[in-house]
Amino acid sequence: DVKVTQSSRYLVKRTGEKVFLECVQDMDHENMFWYRQDPGLGLRLIYFSYDVKMKEKGDIPEGYSVSREKKERFSLILESASTNQTSMYLCASRERDRGLGYTFGSGTRLTVV
Amino acid sequence: GNSVTQMEGPVTLSEEAFLTINCTYTATGYPSLFWYVQYPGEGLQLLLKATKADDKGSNKGFEATYRKETTSFHLEKGSVQVSDSAVYFCALNTGGFKTIFGAGTRLFVKA
């Protein structure tokens, strides 16, 4: 069964910490995405990557960066965590054909205290 | 710009009732349309999709038909089960990297 795996289901971090969220896919997909999901705001795109070492800003990139050194792995980095980054973070991947839809990971619920 | 509008929830139904969740869209060109489902504490799963007008996507008893004349992609199921309780998201992609998601509709099914 094809899979997108996020390294942690739940994380609690302190304000100011540097936080790494990891995502690995085993489907050889070119495209990978990071979203955050908040009540009343839906899914918002943070960053995406269309190839190794390639990245593009989404709608809310401020306070985040990403890294894609290998095709299967896409990391989201919170440079200095703040309480307003408490959220559910969802990683997704997709083949190059945009008509095929995303495969999502199970999500990481991050709490910044 | 491109957008997706879903009916507001929550929708509460009894088991075996008929389900409709409305979805309309605004988009240039010919988007691909999707329904995703999110069970409690989980990520989203692709439920069904349609890539051109009059296509019908179907999966697990759910169906949706791509209606270009009404710019709609309503989700239907003939007989819901308690296990269908989840949040349902309508989404579109116009060929770029970004997919536009609706706000989601929460469904509760009572036994």
Side-chain angles (χ1 to χ4, degrees):
Chain A
D1 199 15
V2 294
K3 228 186 247 188
V4 175
T5 302
Q6 295 185 230
S7 52
S8 305
R9 292 297 300 271
Y10 300 94
L11 273 180
V12 180
K13 296 293 182 181
R14 296 195 180 278
T15 302
E17 277 193 75
K18 190 168 186 176
V19 181
F20 293 84
L21 303 183
E22 306 288 346
C23 175
V24 177
Q25 51 100 358
D26 63 1
M27 297 164 284
D28 203 35
H29 284 173
E30 285 84 6
N31 303 156
M32 296 188 74
F33 304 81
W34 277 105
Y35 285 87
R36 63 178 284 177
Q37 183 179 22
D38 300 286
L41 296 175
L43 277 77
R44 293 181 290 169
L45 181 63
I46 305 171
Y47 267 96
F48 65 95
S49 168
Y50 53 88
D51 204 346
V52 176
K53 298 190 185 293
M54 307 306 291
K55 59 188 178 184
E56 292 284 343
K57 294 179 180 179
D59 300 318
I60 51 162
E62 296 79 18
Y64 303 94
S65 62
V66 290
S67 172
R68 192 161 180 210
E69 296 297 315
K70 294 184 178 181
K71 190 175 186 179
E72 67 270 20
R73 185 179 296 271
F74 191 36
S75 303
L76 180 69
I77 303 155
L78 285 66
E79 298 291 343
S80 177
S82 64
T83 54
N84 63 14
Q85 292 178 309
T86 291
S87 186
M88 170 72 101
Y89 289 87
L90 295 169
C91 176
S93 72
R94 186 185 64 193
E95 292 187 46
R96 191 169 294 168
D97 180 349
R98 286 115 196 213
L100 293 177
Y102 289 144
T103 302
F104 279 89
S106 297
T108 296
R109 185 163 293 283
L110 173 68
T111 302
V112 182
V113 297
Chain B
N2 300 325
S3 66
V4 175
T5 302
Q6 290 181 236
M7 62 188 290
E8 282 194 34
V11 174
T12 303
L13 296 173
S14 297
E15 209 165 22
E16 300 184 4
F18 185 88
L19 168 70
T20 300
I21 300 178
N22 290 337
C23 171
T24 57
Y25 67 89
T26 302
T28 54
Y30 300 90
S32 295
L33 301 173
F34 307 89
W35 277 101
Y36 289 85
V37 58
Q38 185 178 32
Y39 298 103
E42 298 293 324
L44 280 70
Q45 301 174 25
L46 180 64
L47 182 59
L48 52 84
K49 63 180 175 70
T51 57
K52 61 182 187 297
D54 301 324
D55 266 2
K56 177 184 283 188
S58 61
N59 186 25
K60 300 181 181 180
F62 291 90
E63 293 183 340
T65 301
Y66 189 141
R67 301 284 188 202
K68 189 158 180 64
E69 64 277 12
T70 55
T71 61
S72 65
F73 193 55
H74 304 322
L75 182 68
E76 296 181 336
K77 188 176 185 184
S79 175
V80 293
Q81 305 300 312
V82 171
S83 57
D84 294 326
S85 298
V87 181
Y88 292 83
F89 293 88
C90 185
L92 70 82
N93 184 287
T94 58
F97 287 104
K98 294 184 184 181
T99 292
I100 308 299
F101 288 87
T105 302
R106 185 175 295 277
L107 171 66
F108 291 106
V109 181
K110 303 180 295 184

